Amino acid sequence: MAIQRLQMRKAARGCVLAICACFGFAGAAGVAQGPALAMLDRLEPGLWEVTPHGAQSSAAQLCIDNGRKLIQIRHAREACRRFVVEDTAGAVVVQYTCPTGGYGHTKVRFENPRLVQVETQGIDNGLPFNFTAEARRTGSCGR
């Protein structure tokens, strides 16, 4: 009888620990599901000019409907899996992997709703890329 009670107590403790663990994971998941990348939502949609720092290359113009488009400048047309490394009011850092084998690591630093600094590096078409740029909203997108 004493052995059965001891076994039941151990089983009950195991159940209690499992329930606590589930609630702990559910709480952590709830925290992680907040407004991810909210800083990028503060950027104004429209025509943006991305000007690389230094003499790396010429400026490119992008029509963006939200700031998330700045994360994958080199893989813009691909549906890549993203992992948020940093998500603050002043900057976001995202790593992404694309089905074609490309990947990237991008930091977007907020200056104001019309100006951000972008640092990105990774692999595109089997070749490495690494550049820093200023992205500035220049107007509305032409239709």
Side-chain angles (χ1 to χ4, degrees):
M1 195 70 141
I3 294 175
Q4 286 178 335
R5 272 191 258 148
L6 183 60
Q7 289 174 337
M8 289 179 67
R9 283 185 193 158
K10 285 183 180 180
R13 279 189 211 140
C15 288
V16 169
L17 290 174
I19 290 170
C20 290
C22 287
F23 281 119
F25 289 129
V31 171
Q33 292 175 359
L37 307 175
M39 181 275 286
L40 296 174
D41 293 335
R42 295 175 20 210
L43 301 182
E44 292 182 21
L47 186 64
W48 283 69
E49 186 172 85
V50 180
T51 308
H53 293 152
Q56 296 174 7
S57 65
S58 61
Q61 293 191 336
L62 301 171
C63 184
I64 63 170
D65 54 355
N66 67 64
R68 285 168 174 75
K69 302 277 172 115
L70 295 172
I71 293 171
Q72 291 179 215
I73 293 174
R74 290 297 284 261
H75 300 95
R77 291 186 171 92
E78 294 189 54
C80 305
R81 292 184 59 205
R82 295 178 181 175
F83 176 76
V84 178
V85 177
E86 178 182 339
D87 186 7
T88 67
V92 298
V93 178
V94 177
Q95 286 187 197
Y96 62 88
T97 305
C98 305
T100 59
Y103 62 87
H105 179 95
T106 303
K107 177 178 183 175
V108 180
R109 186 171 47 86
F110 184 85
E111 291 199 19
N112 65 55
R114 296 172 150 241
L115 177 65
V116 294
Q117 300 298 319
V118 179
E119 300 172 23
T120 188
Q121 61 183 333
I123 300 290
D124 185 24
N125 291 321
L127 298 172
F129 66 89
N130 182 9
F131 72 92
T132 59
E134 177 178 276
R136 179 182 301 273
R137 186 181 186 280
T138 58
S140 299
C141 296
R143 296 256 170 193

